[in-house]
Amino acid sequence: MLPGLNALRVFESVARHQNFRLAAEELHLTQSAVAQRVRRLESDLGTILFTRQPRGLLLTAQGQTYHQSVQAGLAVIDEATRALTAKTQHLVMSVPPSFGSKWLLPRMDEIRGAFPDLELRITASEALAGFGADGVDFVIRFSSPPFDKGLHVECMAAAELCAVASPSYAAANPVVRGLSDLSRHRLIDDAHRNWEKLIRHANLGVADKVLRFEQTSLAIDAALAGQGLCIAPRILVEAHIANDELRLLHEIEKPDDEGYFLLYPEGRDFDPGKWAIIDWLKGKMAGSLP
């Protein structure tokens, strides 16, 4: 008759500790119960597994061989059980396309390392999610208040705009000492029309040439390619600046409260794993800017 799994677990613990008391503490059993189960196992197998010593136990030769096989077998069973019962956590987040490509994508390995049991699905959109049929847990949007009623709103990072250009473009064109100098450059703008906003705010001269893209990431890529001077959120170009792929030419103060906002329906109760990644994003986005 094959021994039961409980008996094998008791044997494995006793063999590892070579002590009834330590095994009993690990298994939350009494010392006498552990000793009794070992004696029963030896009786069922018809083999002496331990020799009793004044200060503990010693495995017999048969006991050592048996322990190696039992230990390996229990490890396989434990791993199979964990794999079978593990609950993969799904999280759906929606982010602007440029934020996804320039900030989130470079951090995916870090996210997987911090949340190995999380299955993350990312959708790229500028539109506000319906939080219903689309299954989105939360969104991050580049926008400004007010937002729709019934939404939890939290600013993750302010829109700190800056003017950047490739090192080759910066070296070959006039130095930027202030906002008024920007109009002397070939400007690259996106759908947010930051250059037009600056013109209205600071009463600047209209630039002769403005290259426009619908997405901020394309505007940044154009600047990387030396096509001109791009006005973009600092959080999206910080890595390029740190790698000396772009030069910071001017930091731009804005009067409004644009930024990257976390949005989800009020009252939504996330489980601890989803709260953890929200906190992670908050910390990383806050730390992205100098």
Side-chain angles (χ1 to χ4, degrees):
M1 183 177 64
L2 292 175
L5 186 59
N6 288 337
L8 293 179
R9 289 196 180 279
V10 170
F11 165 71
E12 192 283 324
S13 181
V14 173
R16 183 161 28 87
H17 292 292
Q18 296 193 16
N19 187 285
F20 284 137
R21 180 181 60 81
L22 295 177
E25 291 177 358
E26 179 179 87
L27 298 170
H28 304 289
L29 297 171
T30 65
Q31 185 171 335
S32 61
V34 169
Q36 183 180 8
R37 293 186 187 187
V38 169
R39 286 195 299 270
R40 185 181 304 155
L41 178 63
E42 290 178 320
S43 176
D44 291 341
L45 295 174
T47 302
I48 300 300
L49 300 172
F50 297 96
T51 57
R52 278 65 173 172
Q53 303 291 323
R55 294 188 177 182
L57 304 169
L58 287 178
L59 283 164
T60 63
Q62 295 92 335
Q64 289 177 355
T65 301
Y66 193 51
H67 177 239
Q68 291 173 357
S69 298
V70 169
Q71 191 174 49
L74 290 176
V76 171
I77 292 172
D78 287 343
E79 180 60 31
T81 302
R82 279 194 294 269
L84 182 65
T85 60
K87 294 181 179 179
T88 301
Q89 187 177 34
H90 301 269
L91 183 142
V92 183
M93 60 185 294
S94 176
V95 301
S98 297
F99 176 84
S101 64
K102 291 298 182 181
W103 191 91
L104 190 60
L105 185 60
R107 291 167 172 82
M108 288 306 298
D109 284 344
E110 192 175 354
I111 292 175
R112 281 191 288 267
F115 304 96
D117 297 326
L118 180 70
E119 185 175 306
L120 186 61
R121 177 187 167 195
I122 301 171
T123 63
S125 175
E126 298 280 0
L128 187 61
F131 297 107
D134 54 14
V136 171
D137 290 294
F138 62 82
V139 307
I140 295 175
R141 290 291 181 264
F142 183 78
S143 188
S144 60
F147 295 94
D148 292 343
K149 291 182 178 180
L151 288 178
H152 170 88
V153 178
E154 190 171 351
C155 185
M156 304 277 271
E160 299 182 19
L161 294 181
C162 61
V164 294
S166 68
S168 59
Y169 179 90
N173 287 276
V175 176
V176 176
R177 293 186 174 86
L179 285 177
S180 59
D181 295 324
L182 296 181
S183 59
R184 302 165 58 195
H185 287 263
R186 185 168 64 244
L187 294 173
I188 305 170
D189 208 354
D190 59 22
H192 297 288
R193 299 293 190 263
N194 289 311
W195 175 239
E196 294 178 3
K197 295 174 184 177
L198 288 173
I199 289 176
R200 292 194 299 269
H201 170 60
N203 194 27
L204 303 176
V206 178
D208 293 333
K209 297 179 181 179
V210 179
L211 180 60
R212 301 192 189 280
F213 293 91
E214 283 302 308
Q215 293 187 1
T216 307
S217 59
L218 295 177
I220 294 171
D221 288 343
L224 288 166
Q227 296 304 304
L229 185 152
C230 174
I231 299 173
R234 179 78 177 261
I235 194 172
L236 300 188
V237 296
E238 190 59 36
H240 292 305
I241 295 172
N243 294 331
D244 200 32
E245 298 166 333
L246 290 175
R247 295 283 172 83
L248 175 63
L249 304 184
H250 190 70
E251 294 180 324
I252 300 170
E253 294 184 4
K254 291 186 64 193
D256 56 31
D257 48 3
E258 275 188 326
Y260 287 92
F261 286 85
L262 171 71
L263 306 170
Y264 56 83
E266 289 181 350
R268 174 158 287 184
D269 188 18
F270 296 118
D271 58 39
K274 293 182 180 181
W275 282 123
I277 195 169
I278 289 175
D279 290 339
W280 187 92
L281 287 169
K282 289 179 185 178
K284 290 296 180 179
M285 291 179 69
S288 292
L289 297 175

